[in-house]
């Protein structure tokens, strides 16, 4: 097995446009509640660990499958979302109805890499690595 590190993926907290100024710290965001994917999502697990480490509540307003449904729930004001900054940056180019909640006490990122078995060819692995790099790190 070989591991290929691709980079660090910073996260941002997302709300509907015009509401970011309501949140001055992570505790306020935590109390508002989250729209997140179900258990097993590394984004959710990373956020939960950060909140538990700071002894803040982890309130999930809605568990939802799919990015589009999650974004629609955020736009309806049902809670906050957590996204990789690169994803949000590319999404906001086409949709300006969401914004980032800027906080001094929030910093969350994920080390992203690919684990490759020796049974998988180098060309296939490199093609997959390029797809991940282009999707998250461009």
């Amino acid at each position: 097995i070989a591991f290929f590190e691709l980079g660090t993926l910073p996260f941002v907290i997302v709300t509907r446009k015009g509401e970011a100024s309501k949140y001055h710290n992570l505790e306020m965001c935590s109390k508002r509640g989250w729209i997140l994917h179900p258990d097993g999502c590394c984004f959710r697990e990373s956020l939960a660990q950060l909140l538990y480490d700071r002894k803040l509540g982890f309130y999930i307003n809605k568990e939802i499958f799919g990015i589009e449904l999650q974004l629609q729930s955020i736009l309806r004001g049902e809670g906050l979302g957590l996204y990789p900054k690169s994803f949000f940056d590319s999404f906001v180019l086409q949709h300006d109805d969401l914004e980032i909640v800027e906080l001094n006490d929030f910093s969350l990122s994920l080390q992203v890499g690919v684990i490759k078995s020796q049974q998988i060819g180098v060309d296939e692995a490199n093609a997959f690595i390029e797809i991940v790099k282009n999707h998250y790190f461009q």
Side-chain angles (χ1 to χ4, degrees):
I1 294 178
F3 179 76
F4 300 92
E5 186 173 327
L6 299 180
T8 301
L9 193 60
F11 291 105
V12 293
I13 298 171
V14 176
T15 188
R16 62 184 173 179
K17 189 127 195 148
E19 294 191 0
S21 62
K22 293 180 181 179
Y23 306 100
H24 303 291
N25 56 45
L26 187 57
E27 182 177 11
M28 292 175 79
C29 291
S30 173
K31 287 180 179 177
R32 173 63 181 101
W34 306 94
I35 308 293
L36 297 171
H37 297 281
D39 278 335
C41 172
C42 62
F43 301 170
R44 173 188 171 136
E45 292 166 0
S46 298
L47 176 62
Q49 188 61 53
L50 175 68
L51 294 171
Y52 291 139
D53 288 348
R54 295 194 188 174
K55 298 180 179 21
L56 298 173
F58 183 46
Y59 307 105
I60 298 179
N61 295 352
K62 192 179 217 181
E63 288 185 333
I64 200 155
F65 286 102
I67 293 170
E68 285 300 320
L69 292 174
Q70 184 183 24
L71 292 171
Q72 289 171 12
S73 292
I74 294 167
L75 288 171
R76 285 192 300 268
E78 297 172 357
L80 303 172
L82 182 71
Y83 287 93
K85 185 167 182 341
S86 59
F87 173 82
F88 180 79
D89 289 345
S90 62
F91 178 81
V92 81
L93 293 174
Q94 300 159 351
H95 304 86
D96 63 353
D97 41 5
L98 295 171
E99 65 182 329
I100 294 174
V101 177
E102 301 282 348
L103 301 174
N104 292 330
D105 67 340
F106 175 78
S107 177
L108 185 62
S109 60
L110 185 67
Q111 292 301 117
V112 178
V114 174
I115 297 174
K116 178 189 141 343
S117 166
Q118 292 180 7
Q119 279 71 34
I120 296 175
V122 172
D123 292 338
E124 292 88 353
N126 286 340
F128 179 72
I129 289 169
E130 284 305 309
I131 290 169
V132 173
K133 280 184 180 178
N134 290 334
H135 186 73
Y136 287 108
F137 297 101
Q138 291 296 335

